[in-house]
Amino acid sequence: MREALYYKQKQNQKIECVLCPHNCIIKEGKRGICNVRKNINGKLYSENYGKVTGIGFDPIEKKPLYHFHPGEIILSVGSLGCNFKCRFCQNWEISQSSIDEVSRFQTLTIEDVIKFATERKNNIGIAYTYNEPTIYFEFMLDLAKEVQNQGMKNVMVTNGFINPDPLNELLEYIDAFSIDLKAFTEEFYKKNTSGKLEPVKDTLKQIQSKGKFLEITNLVIPSLNDDTEKFREMIDWIATEIGSKTALHLSRYFPCYKSNIEATPVSKLQEFYNIAQEKLSYVYLGNVPSAGGSETFCDQCGTLLVSRKGYFTTLKGIDEEGKCKKCGNKVFER
């Protein structure tokens, strides 16, 4: 446990947490919506500091990041807690639980994780993932500083629901972001996540304005966020505000946690894939291995640059700087 950053003391020992846009007002002895930031005697504490529920090496493509060090390995680290309440959460056992409700974690120091990360040959760094990394902000920040000191990369896989000041601090250390843009309506966010859309859009714009690497994932859920016109609005916004070369991953939903909606039809994903390609240079399909949509072609000359089968990646037409060997177009961060 560690005293938290980004909170304000209020009257009667109440606390306002200003880490994320919920801005929870927390009474003595209570926790915020994330279940892991607790008011103890008028101070806010991060209960999940150093509490690791998952740690292991993954292909960078699993984050998913397709244009950031393709074919490389990264150490994934996760804790517990989340500032969203998604009914379709895939990691609900750790994301929707407090420290009292989860038994399968280990307590690790910064030195423990760095040792693990540096022992693996060719590991490029650490990805903060599994649960929402904003919620273990203090541990992530301390770890990211040391990762940077080691000359390795930091990657954040996040829902993007974070206030501008803490995000600005992270931007000094995080090299790449995989942002889950869950839908393009406030109604969806309110009903299905207990969050809001606008702060996520602000996060995307803040990351883009700082020149940090960024890819976006959209989980397509039947009847909840599969309206074609709203999807077109989202694609127009990404192309205009974030950039037409921003990689977009369209992921197939499957029933999970409290959601019994049937899996996304592959035909709907194909429809959205075609729409997105009208405005975006790089669009990919996830959770549909037999439907294609995973290769990377140069958007300038059409050369096949990267072939992917599952998480097996073959680099075909790129040089050491991430450029197309045929025309010199910069496509990847390497």
Side-chain angles (χ1 to χ4, degrees):
M1 189 162 62
R2 182 71 57 88
E3 183 174 359
L5 300 171
Y6 295 102
Y7 75 92
K8 300 176 182 178
Q9 293 176 321
K10 314 292 281 188
Q11 292 182 340
N12 301 320
Q13 288 197 316
K14 291 181 181 179
I15 282 171
E16 181 183 7
C17 177
V18 294
L19 177 62
C20 87
H22 285 302
N23 293 322
C24 293
I25 302 296
I26 309 171
K27 296 180 180 179
E28 159 64 25
K30 301 297 183 180
R31 298 179 173 103
I33 193 173
C34 62
N35 281 325
V36 292
R37 302 175 77 78
K38 187 174 183 179
N39 181 343
I40 302 176
N41 297 322
K43 290 185 177 180
L44 188 64
Y45 286 88
S46 170
E47 294 185 292
N48 59 357
Y49 189 96
K51 302 296 188 292
V52 175
T53 58
I55 184 168
F57 293 96
D58 289 320
I60 189 70
E61 285 79 10
K62 198 173 181 179
K63 298 306 100 192
L65 288 172
Y66 278 13
H67 290 243
F68 186 79
H69 293 264
E72 301 282 2
I73 296 295
I74 195 164
L75 178 64
S76 294
V77 176
S79 185
L80 67 154
C82 186
N83 53 0
F84 275 2
K85 301 296 178 184
C86 301
R87 296 180 59 83
F88 44 84
C89 181
Q90 295 180 336
N91 293 321
W92 59 271
E93 297 96 335
I94 59 172
S95 70
Q96 303 303 312
S97 301
S98 70
I99 198 77
D100 303 324
E101 298 167 322
V102 175
S103 58
R104 60 176 187 91
F105 65 78
Q106 52 186 320
T107 301
L108 300 178
T109 65
I110 300 299
E111 292 73 23
D112 291 333
V113 181
I114 292 297
K115 183 174 185 294
F116 193 33
T118 54
E119 284 180 344
R120 173 70 180 261
K121 184 180 180 181
N122 297 326
N123 171 41
I124 66 167
I126 293 180
Y128 309 96
T129 181
Y130 298 142
N131 71 309
E132 173 51 48
T134 296
I135 302 310
Y136 54 94
F137 182 90
E138 294 77 11
F139 188 63
M140 174 172 57
L141 182 63
D142 289 348
L143 187 50
K145 290 177 180 178
E146 187 54 36
V147 168
Q148 190 178 84
N149 288 339
Q150 295 288 331
M152 298 189 296
K153 303 297 183 181
N154 287 297
V155 170
M156 187 175 177
V157 183
T158 172
N159 61 29
F161 201 67
I162 184 172
N163 278 330
D165 286 346
L167 176 58
N168 194 55
E169 185 170 8
L170 282 176
L171 284 168
E172 294 186 35
Y173 306 101
I174 304 297
D175 299 284
F177 292 81
S178 175
I179 304 288
D180 190 1
L181 181 57
K182 296 180 182 294
F184 212 62
T185 68
E186 289 291 355
E187 180 182 13
F188 175 95
Y189 270 86
K190 182 179 180 180
K191 288 184 176 181
N192 298 287
T193 74
S194 298
K196 300 175 183 177
L197 170 62
E198 282 302 317
V200 179
K201 291 166 66 177
D202 290 342
T203 290
L204 286 163
K205 290 191 288 186
Q206 188 174 347
I207 294 170
Q208 191 276 339
S209 70
K210 295 293 184 179
K212 293 292 183 172
F213 188 87
L214 169 66
E215 295 188 21
I216 297 173
T217 297
N218 177 228
L219 179 69
V220 181
I221 308 173
S223 78
L224 296 185
N225 67 348
D226 63 344
D227 179 82
T228 300
E229 290 309 310
K230 290 298 180 183
F231 182 76
R232 286 187 182 276
E233 288 181 23
M234 185 180 78
I235 297 304
D236 288 343
W237 184 86
I238 293 172
T240 302
E241 297 290 342
I242 310 302
S244 62
K245 291 197 176 187
T246 305
L248 173 66
H249 302 263
L250 299 175
S251 190
R252 190 184 187 196
Y253 151 90
F254 291 94
C256 195
Y257 191 31
K258 296 180 179 180
S259 178
N260 295 318
I261 298 171
E262 292 187 4
T264 315
V266 174
S267 59
K268 172 57 71 170
L269 287 175
Q270 291 284 6
E271 175 194 345
F272 278 11
Y273 177 83
N274 293 335
I275 291 172
Q277 282 196 315
E278 295 173 6
K279 298 289 182 71
L280 303 178
S281 299
Y282 301 105
V283 185
Y284 302 100
L285 295 179
N287 293 338
V288 281
S290 63
S294 62
E295 297 87 1
T296 299
F297 296 88
C298 177
D299 68 308
Q300 297 297 314
C301 69
T303 299
L304 176 61
L305 303 179
V306 176
S307 165
R308 302 179 183 88
K309 291 185 178 180
Y311 295 120
F312 294 95
T313 301
T314 304
L315 309 184
K316 291 182 172 291
I318 61 173
D319 63 19
E320 292 300 317
E321 296 180 345
K323 296 179 180 179
C324 173
K325 288 182 178 179
K326 184 175 181 179
C327 70
N329 180 33
K330 175 74 170 176
V331 180
F332 303 94
E333 188 75 23
R334 298 192 75 190

